[in-house]
Amino acid sequence: MAEVLARATGRRKRSRAQVRIIEGEPGFNLNGKRLEEYFPTMAMRVRVLEPLRAVEMEGRYEIHAKLEGGGTTGQIDALRLGIARALEVIDPDLREVLKKGGFLTRDARRVEPKKYGLRKARRAPQYTKR
């Protein structure tokens, strides 16, 4: 088996991506699927590849990721953060470029929990006069 160069975890909302960067044939293995199968639209794939393009390393490594939880948008951003963190482990000099591009910043926003007596987190039941 090929040598694992770096491991990193990316998170967003309820999504988690455990990323491993391996020396080998360039490509993606996301939960056993290729990038094109897991994220069918081009916009999704472009967002995932942004950190690799920023440091000009697209098509250089084999990337394996285990994605869990959340929806597609959360998983995309979790994978993106995981890739950026793993690239930083491989070459610490890339930190400045990745940080400037905003790839190392964890988006801490979460869904606000529903409150008792309300329909949603802040939405009150409709008022009826009569």
Side-chain angles (χ1 to χ4, degrees), residues 111-125:
V111 176
E112 189 175 345
K114 183 183 179 302
K115 312 296 186 302
Y116 173 78
L118 300 180
R119 282 180 40 200
K120 291 170 71 179
R122 297 176 186 224
R123 172 76 168 99

Side-chain angles (χ1 to χ4, degrees), residues 3-75:
E3 180 188 353
V4 175
L5 297 173
R7 294 175 192 269
T9 302
R11 288 183 288 279
R12 171 87 203 315
K13 291 185 175 183
R14 297 295 231 149
S15 302
R16 184 171 61 243
Q18 295 173 329
V19 179
R20 291 178 305 161
I21 294 184
I22 300 170
E23 265 188 49
E25 194 173 314
F28 281 81
N29 181 339
L30 310 174
N31 291 352
K33 295 180 180 179
R34 291 187 358 258
L35 180 66
E36 295 77 23
E37 292 172 42
Y38 202 86
F39 295 121
T41 67
M42 193 62 190
M44 293 174 172
R45 294 194 293 265
V46 166
R47 189 133 172 90
V48 168
L49 295 170
E50 279 178 339
L52 292 165
R53 287 200 177 127
V55 294
E56 298 170 2
M57 288 193 174
E58 192 176 7
R60 197 187 264 184
Y61 298 114
E62 185 176 345
I63 297 173
H64 290 256
K66 182 180 165 192
L67 298 158
E68 303 174 319
T72 52
T73 303
Q75 288 187 354

